[in-house]
Every structure is written in C-alpha cells, then in structure tokens.
C-alpha cells in the first residue's frame, strides 16, 4: 500500500510537476490565484466539481469527459477592449482580410432584424464576414502607401495646377489597366485594352465636321459631356491598341472635314436638330401672313421683310424651342403668345 | 361586389385619386337598370347656378367663372344632335336639365372669338389637357355659344370614329385611290342636317355636281339637296360630305354666315388607322375621303370663321395613355399641318369650381350627406397652403346601392379638407 501510495505520490508529484505549468496559465492565475491546483487535490477535486455543477468555462478547469480529460481554456476578452483610441490601425489590418469582430472596435449590426428587434450584432455575423471590407485602406494607410510609392514618382509639373490647364495642354486622355495576381504568369489578356477620351470642343471642327463626326462615331459620343470615347482591344499588345486608337482619331478628324457628293441629299429626317428655315412651319407662317396682308389690301410686302419682322422672329424662336427642347408648360405658353402676336389675336 | 348595378362599382373609384371633372361626372351616372326615377327639376336658390341663359350667355365673363348655366332641353337637342360626352348626356337624363359650368378655357376662347377679325384667315385653336379635364365640354360650350350667335356650326363629334371600326369601305368613285365610308358619312350628314336646317336652305351651290351617271345637282340649288342626295344614296354620302365642306369653305368669306369648324379628337386625322383594305394592307387616314376632305377644311386658307379643335388621347390609336400635349398626340405631320395654332390648356377643377360642382350635386340631392340635412355645407374645407382641390374621401361604398351615394364623407369631414 505504501509502495503504491508512494508510487502514486511520486507519480502524482511528477504529474503535478508536469501539470502545474499548464495549469498555471495566465487566465487561471488571474482568475483564481489563491487556489492551489496542483497535486492530487487537482485530480480528485476537479471531476467532483465538474460532475456536480456542470462545466464552468469561466474558470480554467479540467473536465473529465468519460475517461479522457479535457482542458477548457477560458475565453479571452476580445482585443478591442485593449485598443487605444489613437492606435495605429494599419497594424491591425495591414492587408485585405476578412472582418474579425474581435479586432474591429465598432458596434456594428448587420442583417435582417428580428421582428420588433434590431439587426444581429457583429459577433459571429456571417453577413459581415461575407462582404468585402476596406478596413485595410483607411486614409492613414493610404498615406503610408503614398509615402512608400513616393520614391518611384517624379514631381508634378508646377505649371499644370488646374484641371482646365491640363485639358488645354493635354486634351487626350488614355486609360489602361494593369492587372496583378498571385499566380505563375504576369500576363493578363485584359491588359491590352486601351480607352481614348477626348472632348470635341478641343478639336478644330466646324459645324458640318462636328455633325459628321458625331454621325460617324454613333454611340461613342456622349452629348452631355461632349466626350468622344474610343475603346480598342483588337490588337494583342497594348502599344498596338494605342497606335490604332490614335489612328482612328486621325482618320475620323480628316474624314469629317471632307464633304462628299451624296451629303447634299441630307433630308429632314437626318437632321440632328430642328431647323426652322425651309420648314413647314416657316411656310405656313409666311402663307398666313401674306393672306392677312392681302385681306387688308396691303401689297408689296416681300418675304424677306416678313421674315425680318419681330413677330416672325419671336414665333421662330418659340417653335425651335418647342421642337428641340420638347414640350414644357413654359414652352407651350411661349408658343401661344408668339402665335397670338403673329396672327394679331386680341382677347 | 363588382357588379355594375350601382353607380359606384368599387373598382371604378379605387384608381381615381384626383378630382377631375370626369370623376364627378362618374358620380352622376345613374345605374344602368334605371332602378330609380329621374329627379324632377325643382326650384332652388341658385346658389351655384346661373339662370342667365338666354340673353346673358354672351356676356359670360370672369365673374361667372365656376358657375353653372342652364341650356333648355329643346335647345340642347337642336344644337347637339351629337357631340356631348356620354356621361354628360346621362347626367342630363338624370337631372332633367343640362347645366354646363363656365370655366376659364372656354371664357378665353369665347373672348378670342368675339375679338377675331373675320376677314383674316381662320384661326385654329387646339384645346388640350389631361384625360377627364373637360376638353369636350369646353368645345361644346363654344359650339353652343356660336350656334346661339347664329353661326353655322360644322361639328365633328369624334374624328376617331372615322379611322376605326368601319365595317364597309368602298372604293371612291371620284378618286380611285381613296376609300369611302358610307355609314359614317350618312350618320354625320343626318346629324348635321338636324342642327343646321336654316343654313342648308339659304346657301346655294356654286357648281354642278354629278352623282354617278344620271343624277346631278344643278348650280344654284340649296345645299339641302346635296345633303339629301347623300342621305338617299348612301354610296355617295362621303362625296356629299366633301361637296358640302368645299361649298362652305368657298362661301364663308362672303360674310353672309360665320362658319365654326369644331372637331373633337383632331389628332385622329394625322395618326394611324386600324382599318385594312381587302388585301389586308393597312389604310392611311389620308386615303379616306372623309379624312382627306376634313384635313382640307382645317387649313387656314379660308376666312370668315374659326376652327376649334380638341386633342383626345381616349379613343386614339397607338398613342400611350400618358400623352396629352399637342406634339405628342398630333405627331410631326399633324403639328406641321395645324401650325400656327393657339394652344388652349384645360386644367383640372380649381377649388372654386370643385365646390361649385359639389354644391350642385348636393343641391340635386345626388350626393347625400347627413350634415347637409342638418343645415351645414356637408363638409368643411380647411385652408390648405398647397394647391389642388381637396381630396374627397372615398365615397365609393356600397356597390349595390341603387340610390345616390350616401356621403361617407360623414365619416371624416375634417379629412376632406
């Protein structure tokens, strides 16, 4: 017995010696420093505790589950509680990473709220983990990136200090995209696409040339911003696509200045905007005015005189506004007033 | 229930949010089974109506705006054998009287007509507005005024009827490329004759017209013979209409009569038609004799009268239901043909007009409200800063009620204002 006890004691001591560093974890020390948990007492007391009162995860304890022992580490408080307000955030999120609720000290809620409740909190929230976040791209982080890149950059020319000057001196903008990925090859077929943007106001085009150019390019011209966008990707290399887009621009410019024979057959349907001269409206107005003059026995009134008169000019402007800008209340009332003056209608 | 036994089938009103004049006319429609007798006319205070029918109608001015004036029923059938909106006709049957509200667009038009110079070419007026705002009623007001003043009124009630649903299309004998519409033409001739008997007797033809191989109308005969020829020989009705229009156009400048051309739904003349020829190819409106002649009439190359037209999306073909402006409905061709014209917008009821109409229905005991019996006005109108007529609470209850709707305005009169 004694030998067995001695053996056990020796075993217990050695086990205790082995166990004590494991048991003396910081959490355990911090939570329950006073309780000695080494030696036989540890073996004997813990199962009794766990058997009766259920596992208590708070306190670092040893549970017996069947015949095996499990060590339950206590859950550490989240890192957010130890974060200073003025900490360096780029060290928390140096690269793109998933959302870690314990590392982001923000009280975020996301998801569909329970009925009469609020959206779920951030702990264990799959919705927050799924979505891409930009926590690694905060302004201080960007500043650091720029500082790192500065060594590879040259100075911005001091003469180009405003957007207008940039546009004036460099009207053509070329846009290319470079792709980086982790893989065996640095090539990416999407990198050959070149987009050329230019404002038509910076090109030397007269009225006919501008209209012809717009008809030639079709969808590539944006009316509101007056920007022509040419995207080329038909060549395998970026340089080739760039050369091709410059060639396209040159050809368009020169072709739009030429006038072909068949352009004289341009009809009313081809017109981009309403032109009052030689339109039905002008004809009707002149006919009506001539008839009015004839009924008043006023002869020798020429068309040019009528066209130059104030009422006709007013009428012309109102019809042009109505046709080009569409029908609004103000346009229609302006048209009404001009017709009343033209036909001399008094209320 | 969704039966149409009552005026107010629930579905009718659920979509009605705004108080258009048509909405109020909907309220006035009696049930189709005639479950109750029409109200007899009874003398009343004329708080909302103006008995100034005979002499004063010509003197309608802005002070009469919003008030309703009466047209005697005999005159109504003489002036309007066709042309009144259907709902208004039912209201006339219900109340046994015809009350037309005097509104600003009509007053404006009448002012133009009074001040117009009849030696100048005819001015074209185009009445436009959203659906149900009272364009046809404005036109009818003008037509009534002109016929009271002794004008010859050429009233085409709905030009859309000439470009759709035509059972018979004959090839015109006058022009091989055109198509005649005998039924439509004869119906119109009958109504025209009913309203303009006097003129047809007085005006004489200026040319000899051959109808087919044997019949002809000599020069100098009254126009009545042309009309009767069209009614007797239905095949030549469309040509009779053409002759009539031509004669009137040529003779109006002499000054013996004033001519008013009133066309409702003029955008039909320049739109598309759903008619097809025998080989199933679509028919352009231009190929129809009636439309061709009417288009010529609407040109301003004649003098001695005026042309008043209405645009109408209801009944139009291939036009979206939100279209109401002149260019949208007339299209490029129509606009160029009618240009220069005077557009006359017709808005919804103003608060004053709405109150007048509402008060009229209350007086006729059409809308019933407990507070009226108690002596109040039936609803309080709180002063609202915003524009627009106050919203009536949903009066559309009891789809099976045979009697006029009880005002469930009784529920929340305050909400009405």
């Amino acid at each position: 017995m004694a030998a067995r006890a001695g053996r056990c004691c020796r075993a217990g001591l050695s086990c205790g010696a082995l166990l004590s560093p494991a048991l003396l974890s910081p959490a355990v020390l911090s939570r329950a420093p006073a309780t000695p948990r080494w030696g036989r007492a540890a073996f004997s007391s813990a199962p009794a505790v766990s058997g009766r009162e259920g596992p208590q995860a708070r306190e670092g304890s040893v549970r017996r589950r069947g015949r095996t022992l499990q060590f339950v580490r206590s859950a550490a408080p989240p890192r957010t509680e130890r974060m200073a307000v003025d900490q360096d955030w780029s060290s928390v999120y140096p690269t793109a990473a998933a959302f870690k609720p314990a590392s982001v000290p923000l009280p975020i809620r996301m998801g569909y709220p329970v009925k009469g409740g609020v959206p779920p909190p951030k702990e264990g929230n799959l919705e927050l983990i799924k979505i891409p976040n930009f926590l690694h791209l905060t302004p201080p982080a960007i500043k650091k990136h720029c500082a790192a890149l500065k060594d590879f950059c040259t100075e911005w020319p001091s003469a180009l200090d405003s957007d207008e000057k940039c546009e004036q001196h460099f009207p053509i903008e070329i846009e290319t995209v470079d792709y980086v990925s982790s893989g065996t090859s640095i090539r990416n077929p999407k990198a050959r696409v070149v987009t050329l943007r230019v404002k038509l106001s910076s090109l030397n085009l007269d009225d006919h040339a501008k209209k012809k150019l717009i008809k030639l390019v079709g969808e590539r011209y944006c009316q509101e911003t007056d920007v022509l966008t040419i995207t080329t990707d038909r060549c395998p290399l970026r340089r080739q696509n760039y050369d091709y887009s410059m060639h396209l621009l040159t050809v368009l410019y020169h072709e739009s200045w030429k006038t072909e024979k068949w352009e004289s057959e341009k009809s009313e349907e081809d017109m981009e905007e309403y032109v009052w001269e030689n339109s039905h409206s002008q004809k009707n107005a002149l006919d009506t005015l001539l008839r009015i003059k004839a009924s008043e026995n006023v002869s020798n009134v020429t068309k040019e005189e009528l066209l130059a008169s104030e009422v006709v000019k007013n009428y012309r402007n109102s019809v042009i506004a109505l046709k080009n800008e569409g029908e609004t209340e103000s346009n229609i009332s302006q048209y009404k007033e001009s017709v009343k003056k033209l036909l001399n209608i008094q209320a | 229930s969704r039966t149409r036994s009552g005026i107010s089938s629930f579905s009718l009103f659920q979509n009605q949010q705004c108080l258009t004049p048509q909405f109020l006319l909907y309220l006035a429609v009696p049930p189709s089974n005639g479950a109750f007798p029409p109200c007899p006319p009874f003398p009343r205070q004329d708080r909302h109506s103006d008995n100034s029918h005979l002499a004063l109608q010509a003197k309608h001015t802005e002070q009469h705006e919003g008030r309703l004036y009466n047209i005697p029923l005999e005159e109504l059938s003489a002036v309007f054998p066709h042309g009144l909106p259907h709902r208004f006709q039912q209201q006339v049957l219900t109340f046994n009287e015809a009350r037309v509200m005097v509104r600003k667009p009509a007053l404006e038009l009448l002012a133009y007509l009074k001040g117009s110079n009849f030696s100048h070419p005819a001015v074209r007026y185009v009445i436009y507005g959203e659906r149900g705002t009272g364009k046809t009623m404005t036109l009818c007001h003008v037509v009534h005024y002109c016929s009271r003043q002794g004008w010859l009124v050429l009233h085409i009630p709905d030009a859309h009827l000439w470009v759709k649903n035509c059972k018979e299309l004959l090839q015109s004998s006058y022009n091989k490329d055109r198509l005649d519409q005998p039924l439509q033409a004869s119906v119109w001739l009958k109504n025209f004759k009913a309203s303009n008997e006097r003129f047809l007797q007085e005006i004489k033809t200026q040319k000899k017209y051959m109808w087919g191989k044997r019949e002809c109308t000599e020069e100098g005969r009254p126009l009545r013979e042309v009309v009767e020829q069209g009614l007797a020989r239905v095949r030549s009705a469309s040509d009779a209409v053409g002759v009539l229009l031509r004669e009137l156009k040529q003779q109006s400048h002499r000054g013996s009569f004033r001519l008013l051309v009133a066309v409702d739904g003029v955008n039909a003349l320049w739109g598309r038609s759903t008619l097809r020829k025998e080989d199933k190819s679509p028919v352009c409106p231009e190929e129809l004799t009636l439309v061709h002649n009417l288009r010529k009439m609407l040109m301003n190359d004649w003098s001695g009268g005026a042309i008043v037209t209405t645009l109408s999306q209801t009944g139009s073909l291939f036009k979206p239901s939100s279209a109401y402006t002149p260019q949208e409905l007339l299209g490029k061709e129509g606009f160029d043909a009618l240009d220069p014209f005077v557009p006359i917008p017709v808005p919804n009821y103003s608060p004053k007009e709405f109150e007048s109409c509402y008060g009229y229905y209350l007086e006729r005991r059409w809308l019933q409200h407990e507070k009226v019996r108690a002596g109040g006005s039936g609803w309080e109108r709180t002063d609202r800063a915003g524009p627009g007529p106050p919203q009536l609470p949903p009066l559309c209850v009891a789809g099976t009620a045979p009697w006029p709707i009880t005002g469930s305005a009784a529920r929340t009169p305050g909400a009405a204002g």
Side-chain angles (χ1 to χ4, degrees):
Chain A
M1 282 298 141
R4 213 186 293 135
R7 229 186 301 130
C8 282
C9 208
R10 248 181 284 126
L13 269 174
S14 62
C15 285
L18 278 172
L19 278 169
S20 50
L23 283 172
L24 290 176
S25 56
V28 173
L29 275 177
S30 61
R31 286 299 161 85
T35 323
R37 295 198 177 269
W38 43 270
R40 208 177 291 164
F43 281 102
S44 54
S45 62
V49 166
S50 62
R52 289 264 161 90
E53 292 154 22
Q56 290 169 13
R58 285 287 159 195
E59 293 164 341
S61 56
V62 176
R63 273 193 281 153
R64 182 184 291 280
R65 228 179 155 165
R67 289 196 143 262
T68 52
L69 298 164
Q70 273 186 335
F71 294 104
V72 178
R73 259 183 296 143
S74 53
R79 193 175 151 189
T80 52
E81 291 184 16
R82 284 183 292 127
M83 279 179 173
V85 175
D86 53 354
Q87 67 172 330
D88 177 26
W89 181 253
S90 53
S91 57
V92 181
Y93 266 85
T95 48
F99 182 84
K100 300 179 195 93
S103 300
V104 177
L106 299 169
I108 305 177
R109 291 181 175 273
M110 177 147 165
Y112 194 80
V114 248
K115 194 173 169 188
V118 293
K122 62 176 178 176
E123 284 84 18
N125 193 331
L126 192 63
E127 304 282 326
L128 280 166
I129 300 174
K130 281 193 295 192
I131 56 171
N133 65 67
F134 294 96
L135 294 163
H136 57 293
L137 292 176
T138 52
I142 305 275
K143 264 210 170 94
K144 286 190 192 172
H145 297 161
C146 290
L149 285 171
K150 220 182 175 77
D151 296 336
F152 303 100
C153 299
T154 55
E155 281 285 327
W156 183 259
S158 52
L160 294 174
D161 45 10
S162 72
D163 274 340
E164 289 79 25
K165 281 197 191 151
C166 292
E167 258 189 50
Q168 184 200 348
H169 293 288
F170 301 97
I172 300 181
E173 287 174 12
I174 304 285
E175 191 181 303
T176 50
V177 186
D178 292 293
Y179 296 86
V180 179
S181 66
S182 58
T184 49
S185 163
I186 57 167
R187 314 273 174 219
N188 191 318
K190 291 198 276 187
R192 71 182 197 280
V193 176
V194 170
T195 306
L196 183 146
R197 274 199 195 84
V198 65
K199 279 206 175 168
L200 287 192
S201 48
S202 47
L203 295 173
N204 177 24
L205 296 166
D206 71 348
D207 190 48
H208 158 264
K210 185 168 179 182
K211 288 194 174 138
K212 184 165 176 183
L213 188 94
I214 293 174
K215 271 205 195 293
L216 281 172
V217 300
E219 284 276 316
R220 298 173 185 83
Y221 176 71
C222 171
Q223 194 82 21
E224 283 95 55
T225 55
D226 191 37
V227 164
L228 168 65
T229 310
I230 300 179
T231 308
T232 42
D233 64 346
R234 59 171 64 184
C235 304
L237 296 181
R238 183 187 289 168
R239 189 181 307 172
Q240 294 170 345
N241 279 319
Y242 168 75
D243 290 338
Y244 179 57
S245 61
M246 293 306 284
H247 162 75
L248 272 181
L249 185 64
T250 318
V251 164
L252 279 169
Y253 177 78
H254 288 294
E255 282 297 323
S256 61
W257 270 101
K258 294 185 204 162
T259 308
E260 305 280 342
K261 264 206 303 243
W262 42 262
E263 284 186 38
S264 57
E265 296 164 20
K266 190 175 183 188
S267 66
E268 218 179 307
E269 287 88 25
D270 299 321
M271 296 290 179
E272 295 82 14
E273 52 175 21
Y274 182 73
V275 169
W276 190 74
E277 281 70 29
N278 294 331
S279 69
H280 284 280
S281 175
Q282 184 194 18
K283 196 163 73 69
N284 289 350
L286 284 177
D287 286 342
T288 315
L289 281 176
L290 285 172
R291 271 185 229 127
I292 293 178
K293 299 289 178 211
S295 73
E296 289 169 0
N297 294 326
V298 173
S299 52
N300 306 329
V301 179
T302 56
K303 276 194 177 167
E304 287 71 23
E305 276 178 29
L306 285 175
L307 282 174
S309 64
E310 194 55 47
V311 282
V312 174
K313 281 211 181 112
N314 212 5
Y315 172 70
R316 171 185 177 273
N317 292 340
S318 63
V319 171
I320 289 178
L322 202 62
K323 293 261 185 179
N324 279 341
E325 292 162 30
E327 283 174 309
T328 58
E329 285 304 320
S330 61
N331 272 353
I332 301 184
S333 53
Q334 190 192 357
Y335 174 74
K336 181 176 169 182
E337 294 307 314
S338 68
V339 169
K340 274 164 64 173
K341 285 201 195 92
L342 185 82
L343 301 178
N344 208 11
I345 301 172
Q346 282 117 20
Chain B
S1 81
R2 302 258 163 172
T3 57
R4 307 231 6 167
S5 62
I7 329 143
S8 48
S9 71
F10 200 76
S11 53
L12 241 187
F13 294 103
Q14 258 175 347
N15 300 327
Q16 290 275 7
Q17 294 297 323
C18 60
L19 291 167
T20 53
Q22 199 185 40
F23 170 69
L24 291 160
L25 267 182
Y26 270 125
L27 299 182
V29 167
S32 48
N33 56 5
F36 65 95
C39 306
F42 62 96
R44 65 192 160 289
Q45 291 306 109
D46 278 341
R47 180 159 54 101
H48 299 282
S49 52
D50 204 305
N51 262 335
S52 58
H53 38 272
L54 288 164
L56 292 180
Q57 192 219 0
K59 298 185 193 149
H60 280 165
T61 53
E62 281 74 32
Q63 70 191 84
H64 297 110
E65 193 188 316
R67 304 174 79 176
L68 298 125
Y69 81 96
N70 187 22
I71 306 178
L73 289 177
E74 318 74 49
E75 211 183 314
L76 194 76
S77 51
V79 175
F80 294 111
H82 56 185
L84 286 176
H86 179 62
R87 298 271 167 189
F88 184 73
Q89 284 174 359
Q90 288 185 298
Q91 181 182 298
V92 169
L93 283 176
T94 315
F95 294 158
N96 230 10
E97 60 169 6
R99 290 259 162 197
V100 177
M101 189 185 288
V102 176
R103 292 181 76 193
K104 226 191 261 195
L107 286 174
E108 195 187 333
L109 248 183
L110 295 182
Y112 293 148
L113 288 178
K114 280 178 218 168
S116 55
N117 184 341
F118 293 106
S119 55
H120 285 178
V123 182
R124 276 128 0 147
Y125 303 93
V126 172
I127 304 173
Y128 72 97
E130 289 179 17
R131 197 183 342 189
T133 42
K135 304 181 286 288
T136 310
M137 285 309 293
T138 308
L139 187 72
C140 291
H141 187 166
V142 172
V143 163
H144 181 231
Y145 167 80
C146 290
S147 70
R148 183 68 73 69
Q149 297 287 311
W151 292 37
L152 205 178
V153 172
L154 206 73
H155 186 37
I156 285 98
D158 191 0
H160 292 297
L161 297 174
W162 288 359
V163 293
K164 57 182 180 180
N165 299 338
C166 179
K167 297 285 184 301
E168 285 184 20
L169 276 177
L170 303 172
Q171 194 192 31
S172 166
S173 50
Y174 182 70
N175 184 334
K176 291 279 172 303
D177 299 327
R178 288 202 218 122
L179 297 165
D180 273 354
Q181 287 158 296
L183 295 171
Q184 275 83 353
S186 55
V187 161
W188 184 80
L189 275 177
K190 191 157 65 79
N191 289 327
F192 177 72
K193 185 175 161 192
S195 55
N196 290 305
E197 280 284 1
R198 172 170 79 91
F199 289 107
L200 290 176
Q201 196 54 44
E202 288 171 4
I203 305 173
K204 312 281 185 229
T205 54
Q206 288 186 322
K207 213 180 89 150
K208 180 175 168 184
Y209 296 103
M210 296 291 298
W211 310 105
K213 293 210 182 76
R214 268 156 282 181
E215 291 148 359
C216 75
T217 308
E218 296 293 330
E219 194 181 321
R221 305 297 301 158
L223 274 183
R224 196 168 52 80
E225 290 191 10
V226 173
V227 174
E228 269 160 21
Q229 172 71 32
L231 287 173
R233 292 267 175 280
V234 180
R235 278 184 157 264
S236 49
S238 319
D239 292 328
V241 171
V243 164
L244 185 72
L245 293 180
R246 185 169 170 274
E247 287 293 323
L248 289 175
K249 191 166 162 180
Q250 283 175 343
Q251 297 191 27
S252 63
H253 71 272
R254 290 192 195 155
S256 52
F257 62 91
R258 300 266 166 81
L259 179 60
L260 176 78
V261 179
V263 183
D264 201 337
V266 77
N267 47 316
L269 303 178
W270 287 281
R272 284 164 61 182
S273 82
T274 50
L275 304 173
R276 286 184 182 261
K277 296 184 217 163
E278 276 155 8
D279 54 356
K280 307 276 191 234
S281 58
V283 172
C284 302
E286 179 55 40
E287 293 172 12
L288 298 166
T289 327
L290 288 175
V291 170
H292 176 81
N293 290 325
L294 192 56
R295 278 196 199 180
K296 284 197 293 191
M297 197 70 198
L298 292 178
M299 296 295 116
N300 64 347
D301 45 4
W302 54 277
S303 60
I307 304 173
V308 181
T309 64
T310 316
L311 294 178
S312 161
Q313 194 279 329
T314 340
S316 67
L317 296 163
F318 307 104
K319 291 282 177 210
S321 59
S322 56
Y324 73 96
T325 50
Q327 271 205 295
E328 280 174 351
L329 285 176
L330 285 171
K332 190 178 159 312
E333 213 189 319
F335 190 89
D336 287 337
L338 281 182
D339 193 35
F341 60 87
V342 180
I344 304 205
V346 175
N348 256 331
Y349 272 167
S350 66
K352 189 170 148 207
E353 286 166 345
F354 171 74
E355 280 197 33
S356 162
C357 187
Y358 185 82
Y360 171 60
Y361 286 138
L362 280 180
E363 276 189 297
R364 298 300 277 159
R365 301 204 195 130
W366 188 247
L367 299 173
Q368 301 201 343
H369 197 300
E370 283 138 27
K371 299 239 169 144
V372 172
R373 286 187 223 126
S377 75
W379 75 332
E380 282 97 41
R381 188 169 160 260
T382 57
D383 284 318
R384 283 215 304 201
Q391 290 279 337
L392 264 184
L395 293 177
C396 46
V397 279
T400 54
W403 269 102
I405 335 171
T406 43
S408 49
R411 271 191 247 134
T412 42

